[in-house]
Amino acid sequence: MELLLVCTYCCLPSCIPVVSAVVGTLLVVEQTCTLCARTKKWSSQPYIGKVPAGNLMLSAAIVFSGSQPGKTLKCLKFLGASVYRYDRINYGICYSMTNNHNMASQN
């Protein structure tokens, strides 16, 4: 969070960072400069379409490892990790990729 204290416009340590969203593995911080009054949003990861990349990667890891989504997310919750609702869209994307790969390797 120390890096977010410096304004990217006036380059002075005068920003107030505020966490505006936590969506699974995604962290969004909005910083407001007290000197120049500009605001900027920072995301901890890129998006793939409208889905945070880390959330899609976690879904892929669950599917490709053969793990059970409920048990894996319960384990992450016990660890204190920020977990998200296991997204059926992510599961569908990962499952169809696996299915396509299996069909292609059989031919």
Side-chain angles (χ1 to χ4, degrees), residues 37-57:
R38 292 189 180 188
T39 61
K40 181 180 179 181
K41 276 192 177 180
W42 175 84
S43 294
S44 63
Q45 58 192 265
Y47 287 82
I48 298 173
K50 293 183 179 182
V51 179
N55 292 355
L56 186 59
M57 290 170 58

Side-chain angles (χ1 to χ4, degrees), residues 18-40:
V18 176
V19 175
S20 60
V22 177
V23 182
T25 62
L26 172 72
L27 173 68
V28 179
V29 177
E30 189 170 331
Q31 60 183 143
T32 304
C33 181
T34 57
L35 297 176
C36 68
R38 292 189 180 188
T39 61
K40 181 180 179 181

Side-chain angles (χ1 to χ4, degrees), residues 62 67-76 86:
I62 292 170
S67 300
Q68 293 180 352
K71 287 187 177 183
T72 303
L73 295 175
K74 193 179 212 180
C75 178
L76 290 171
Y86 187 68

Side-chain angles (χ1 to χ4, degrees), residues 71-89:
K71 287 187 177 183
T72 303
L73 295 175
K74 193 179 212 180
C75 178
L76 290 171
K77 188 175 181 179
F78 285 138
L79 287 172
S82 175
V83 295
Y84 64 102
R85 180 182 58 82
Y86 187 68
D87 199 331
R88 291 177 191 266
I89 295 171

